[in-house]
Amino acid sequence: MRIAIVGSGISGLTAAHRLRKTLGPTPELLLIEQRDRIGGILYTTPLAGDPIDLGAEAFVGRRPEIPTLMRELGIEDQLVYPAGRRPLVWSAGSTHPLPAATLMGIPATAESVSGLVDADTLTRISEEPNRPLTWQPGTDISVGALVADRFGEQVVRRSVDPLLGGVYAGTADSIGVRAALPTLAAALDAGAQSLTQAVADALPPPSTAPVFGGIRDGYGVLLEALRAAADAKVETHTEAINLTRAPTGWHLDPVGAVDAVILATPAPVTAAFLRTIAPEAAELAGAIQLSSSAVVALALPRETALPDNSGILVATDESLSAKAFTLSSRKWPHLAERDVALVRASFGRFGDDTALSRSDAELIAAAVADLTTVTGVEIEPVSTVVQRWPGGLPQYAPGHTDRIAELRTATAGLDRLALAGSYLNGVGVPACAASGAAAADRIAAQLS
């Protein structure tokens, strides 16, 4: 039995691991990867002599997928948690505390964004419950359109955009309410009389559990452990093409006949595979747009006087090039033990691909200049590394949840073929791992 998994990001690797665990040692698992390495947009590389992540550097700690995988793989001792410091927001030429009691930056009260927005906006938020709210259950609009209408443009640009930019490399205008904030959509569907009430209803209950988790020596540890446990034949530098039906399964160039296929690929690549075998599904997947970004990691002298915060997010009405800084040595206790201070600068939002065309030297210079601006500290890197992510993150536009439901319906009849990836049910690492596991379960059930 031969099973091909196309794409070796966390979705594909988790699918391969799950198949091996479920089906045992007999099947031949083929992991097909166009790049020269496994991991997709998870990437760990040395900086100043020690590993640092240049893709995602954390995962949602309240989801079980990654801790569960780490326990299964015997690397649970690599699990780490942040120090608990809060980020800042750079807006109107100064830093402000990240608003508390918000849902992805949408405030439940005017007080939570006091100091970040002007007096007129605070009044507008306070009076919002007195304005009639029109919401048709089941509909979807962009987060930006909803929040701007109810609370004003400043809330969108200074509070919501900085947070959504970190998750999707997009803006509130490119992301739909229903996909990004399902609890808010549910509260609106249930009849909330105002956005203020809906946010209050949708906020999670207070918890002392860590919001995020991480991996001490980087995601490369998890990726290699998954690869080893899956015991798959890994084919890097290999572009899979021309997926067609075969008498007992599928034919995939260049690997030939296989009994089953998992497409753990970005939405446009998935669409290309589906074009001849499921045109409707291909059209649905192909309409999902992607955002590009770049990361500049800086190693600074250990004594650099960085703020005592986990990071600095940048409002979208500012003129800086960077959209955010992770003050990694402040955020993570294990990184604070190193001989250098580590900072990650992030560039790029949906619709702006300039970070891809700028040289390494230009991106590093922009990171240094912007970090100097937001901290007021002289920044002198001792080592740097740059990573670009073209088309790295899908945009969960309004209507995305309906689109994915239709895509699943359109592919439900494709026996021994399953989809996985960040465009399905969440861009975070746990959601991607869950999609890989679900795809493996579908294949295992059909093969048995």
Side-chain angles (χ1 to χ4, degrees):
M1 183 187 299
R2 304 176 84 220
I3 304 172
I5 302 102
V6 186
S8 71
I10 189 66
S11 304
L13 284 167
T14 302
H17 167 61
R18 185 68 160 251
L19 284 170
R20 182 64 70 203
K21 184 178 176 183
T22 304
L23 300 178
T26 303
E28 179 184 7
L29 304 183
L30 306 172
L31 196 61
I32 313 301
E33 173 56 55
Q34 185 175 1
R35 302 182 188 186
D36 61 355
R37 59 170 182 84
I38 63 170
I41 63 169
L42 298 182
Y43 181 43
T44 307
T45 194
L47 178 65
D50 290 297
I52 188 170
D53 281 314
L54 296 183
E57 47 97 43
F59 55 84
V60 177
R62 295 171 186 173
R63 289 193 60 150
E65 289 89 354
I66 302 306
T68 297
L69 274 177
M70 294 176 72
R71 283 192 297 271
E72 289 179 4
L73 298 167
I75 57 171
E76 190 177 10
D77 61 332
Q78 284 276 330
L79 185 61
V80 293
Y81 296 102
R85 294 179 174 88
R86 300 246 329 145
L88 301 169
V89 176
W90 176 262
S91 177
S94 63
T95 54
H96 308 262
L98 182 73
T102 72
L103 188 70
M104 196 61 77
I106 308 174
T109 65
E111 289 76 17
S112 65
V113 290
S114 179
L116 184 60
V117 299
D118 62 23
D120 288 345
T121 300
L122 292 175
T123 299
R124 183 170 180 170
I125 298 169
S126 297
E127 296 177 350
E128 189 267 342
N130 301 322
R131 295 171 51 209
L133 172 67
T134 301
W135 178 267
Q136 184 67 36
T139 59
D140 198 12
I141 61 174
S142 74
V143 176
L146 174 64
V147 177
D149 176 61
R150 304 302 297 182
F151 291 160
E153 195 73 16
Q154 285 188 7
V155 176
V156 177
R157 303 307 161 209
R158 301 180 183 183
S159 186
V160 182
D161 268 353
L163 287 164
L164 281 177
V167 177
Y168 295 97
T171 69
D173 298 329
S174 65
I175 304 299
V177 172
R178 198 162 293 278
L181 300 167
T183 58
L184 180 64
L188 292 166
D189 287 349
Q193 297 300 300
S194 66
L195 182 57
T196 299
Q197 180 190 339
V199 172
D201 292 345
L203 281 171
S207 172
T208 58
V211 177
F212 298 108
I215 300 176
R216 177 179 296 278
D217 294 321
Y219 270 109
V221 173
L222 175 60
L223 300 174
E224 286 300 325
L226 284 168
R227 182 198 58 76
D231 190 25
K233 182 180 180 183
V234 180
E235 298 281 0
T236 55
H237 294 287
T238 302
E239 182 180 8
I241 55 174
N242 298 331
L243 179 64
T244 56
R245 291 185 182 276
T248 60
W250 298 93
H251 187 278
L252 178 68
D253 290 332
V255 299
V258 291
D259 296 282
V261 176
I262 292 176
L263 298 177
T265 47
V269 178
T270 302
F273 280 117
L274 296 175
R275 193 157 289 128
T276 58
I277 57 176
E280 180 185 352
E283 183 177 351
L284 291 164
I288 298 171
Q289 295 181 291
L290 306 180
S291 179
S292 300
S293 61
V295 174
V296 177
L298 308 172
L300 311 176
R302 183 184 174 94
E303 65 273 12
T304 304
L306 297 171
D308 193 24
N309 297 90
S310 61
I312 304 170
L313 309 177
V314 179
T316 51
D317 55 5
E318 293 295 305
S319 59
L320 300 185
S321 296
K323 69 178 180 182
F325 297 92
T326 302
L327 305 180
S328 304
S329 295
R330 298 284 192 254
K331 180 175 180 178
W332 299 99
H334 69 286
L335 296 182
E337 299 171 358
R338 296 189 181 178
D339 295 333
V340 292
L342 298 172
V343 177
R344 291 176 13 137
S346 299
F347 297 84
R349 289 186 173 92
F350 179 67
D352 179 10
D353 290 342
T354 56
L356 300 182
S357 61
R358 301 173 77 176
S359 68
D360 285 6
E362 289 172 330
L363 285 171
I364 292 167
V368 169
D370 287 354
L371 186 58
T372 299
T373 297
V374 301
T375 63
V377 174
E378 185 176 357
I379 302 300
E380 297 182 343
V382 297
S383 185
T384 62
V385 63
V386 177
Q387 177 65 42
R388 294 169 185 78
W389 296 114
L393 285 173
Q395 297 300 286
Y396 278 40
H400 184 81
T401 53
D402 288 342
R403 179 178 301 278
I404 296 305
E406 293 171 14
L407 176 61
R408 293 196 181 281
T409 298
T411 55
L414 299 177
D415 190 45
R416 301 188 181 190
L417 185 142
L419 309 181
S422 61
Y423 65 93
L424 292 170
N425 296 112
V427 299
V429 176
C432 291
S435 78
D441 289 345
R442 169 182 165 91
I443 295 301
Q446 291 180 344
L447 290 175
S448 64

